[in-house]
Amino acid sequence: MKTMKGRAITLPKREPNPLCEDASRLIPGRLLAVADGAGGGGLYADLWAQYLIEHLPTEAGFANAEALDGWLSGIWEEFYNACERQAQQSGSFYLNKFYDEGSFSTLATLWRVSPRSYYWVTYGDSVAFHYSRRRGTLSHSFGTLRDFSLPPYLINCKDELRPEGFRSGYFTVEPGDCVFVTSDALAQYIVMMHLLTDRQTHQEEITQLLATGLRQSNYLRRALELPAIDLWRDVLRPLLSCATTPRHFARHIDCLLRQGLLAPDDYSIVWSKC
C-alpha cells in the first residue's frame, strides 16, 4: 500500500447543522494553506476563507505585509461584488452589515521553496508548524499559549491590512520531517502540549497562565493531569495518522474534546512529510 505523504482535512464544529468557516488546501510538494473565517463579525466568513485559499499563488509570495495587501487589492473586488449581490437579496439589514463590517478570516500558508526549505506566512492565529524527527523539536509561527486569548488579526475583504499582523519566516527541513498548518483551536492544543513536554523549564509560564482564569487555563489544567508527554508519540503521530480521512480525524477530535483538551471550534490541518 502506498504511504500517504500529506492531506488537507477540515472538520466543522461538533454540533447539529454546523456552518464550517474553515478552508484548507494542499498542492503536494508546493503549497499548504489554512484560512479560518471569523464569524464573530461581518458576513460570509466561510466564503471569504474559501476564496482566499482558492486564489493563493502557488509559488512563494508575500515577502512583507505590503505584498500581501497588494495581492488582496487584486482579488477582493470580485468577492465583494458577489457578496454584495447576495446581501441585497437577503435584505437591508444584511446589506448594511456587509457594508459596515465586510468579511473576516485568518490565513496560514507554507510554500516549498527548495528541497530543504519552506517559506511560511501567517496573518492571525492560524499557525504554521515544523517538526524535526531527528532532533525531536517543534517550531511554529505563533507566540505563546497565552497569546491565543488575544483578539486575532484578521484579513477583511474591504479594509487595508494592519502591518503588525503579518508574520513570515523559513523552516529548514530534512527527510522524514513534517510540516503542517492548522486553524487556531487545533494549534492551541499543539502549542499547549508542546509546552508540557518540558514542564520544569516552562513552570513559570504554566503557573502564570493558570492564575489568569482564561479559557486556556481550563484546558491546561486537564492536560496537567496527564502523565509525562512525548510530543511525537502522544500528540503529533496520533494526530497526523488520523488526519487522513474525515472519519478518522473526527474520531480523534471527539476523543480530545471528551478529555477536555481541545476548544470547541472548526478544525483544519494540512500536513506533508518532507
Side-chain angles (χ1 to χ4, degrees):
M1 185 174 69
K2 187 177 180 180
T3 302
M4 187 170 291
K5 287 292 194 177
R7 191 68 191 269
I9 298 279
T10 290
L11 186 71
K13 298 176 183 66
R14 313 301 288 152
E15 59 187 36
N17 304 313
L19 172 64
C20 184
E21 295 172 330
D22 278 10
S24 57
R25 183 182 180 191
L26 170 66
I27 302 178
R30 296 176 69 183
L31 171 70
L32 303 85
V34 160
D36 181 359
L43 295 171
Y44 313 125
D46 56 329
L47 301 180
W48 181 228
Q50 188 64 47
Y51 187 85
L52 291 174
I53 286 290
E54 291 174 352
H55 286 78
L56 278 171
T58 57
E59 303 297 330
F62 314 149
N64 49 41
E66 290 74 19
L68 177 59
D69 202 40
W71 169 70
L72 290 167
S73 295
I75 68 167
W76 72 272
E77 192 168 5
E78 180 184 353
F79 174 85
Y80 188 90
N81 290 341
C83 289
E84 182 182 39
R85 290 191 296 269
Q86 185 171 337
Q88 286 171 340
Q89 294 172 3
S90 300
S92 59
F93 170 82
Y94 295 94
L95 183 60
N96 290 332
K97 185 175 179 65
F98 183 65
Y99 283 155
D100 290 342
E101 301 178 27
S103 306
F104 298 93
S105 180
T106 68
L107 183 67
T109 59
L110 278 164
W111 288 275
R112 190 163 198 168
V113 294
S114 77
R116 295 196 60 192
S117 182
Y118 282 81
Y119 177 64
W120 58 262
V121 167
T122 66
Y123 196 94
D125 56 7
S126 295
V127 180
F129 293 91
H130 164 228
Y131 181 73
S132 168
R133 290 294 307 275
R134 182 177 64 84
R135 296 189 300 271
T137 57
L138 182 72
S139 304
H140 61 79
S141 62
F142 203 63
T144 68
L145 180 61
R146 186 171 180 173
D147 291 336
F148 284 103
S149 66
L150 301 175
Y153 291 100
L154 297 170
I155 299 171
N156 193 288
C157 70
K158 67 179 187 66
D159 298 327
E160 291 185 0
L161 294 178
R162 296 174 61 185
E164 60 269 26
F166 178 89
R167 295 185 179 188
S168 66
Y170 288 88
F171 294 142
T172 300
V173 302
E174 298 176 337
D177 288 1
C178 293
V179 291
F180 50 104
V181 288
T182 79
S183 48
D184 62 321
L186 200 51
Q188 178 180 296
Y189 161 72
I190 295 167
V191 171
M192 176 181 72
M193 300 303 277
H194 181 223
L195 185 72
L196 296 184
T197 58
D198 188 352
R199 301 182 189 186
Q200 191 169 16
T201 298
H202 301 290
Q203 187 57 55
E204 182 177 356
E205 182 180 352
I206 292 169
T207 301
Q208 290 177 351
L209 183 55
L210 290 174
T212 64
L214 295 169
R215 184 176 66 171
Q216 283 81 4
S217 66
N218 297 325
Y219 305 117
L220 183 58
R221 284 190 178 88
R222 296 302 300 270
L224 284 167
E225 298 172 1
L226 300 172
I229 297 165
D230 179 272
L231 187 66
W232 177 249
R233 182 195 65 210
D234 301 323
V235 180
L236 297 181
R237 184 171 63 184
L239 176 63
L240 297 176
S241 64
C242 290
T244 53
T245 69
R247 181 170 63 89
H248 288 124
F249 187 52
R251 185 179 299 168
H252 187 63
I253 291 297
D254 288 343
C255 180
L256 296 177
L257 287 168
R258 286 194 299 271
Q259 294 178 75
L261 300 173
L262 188 64
D265 203 347
D266 302 326
Y267 308 99
S268 289
I269 183 169
V270 185
W271 63 271
S272 178
K273 291 182 179 177
C274 301

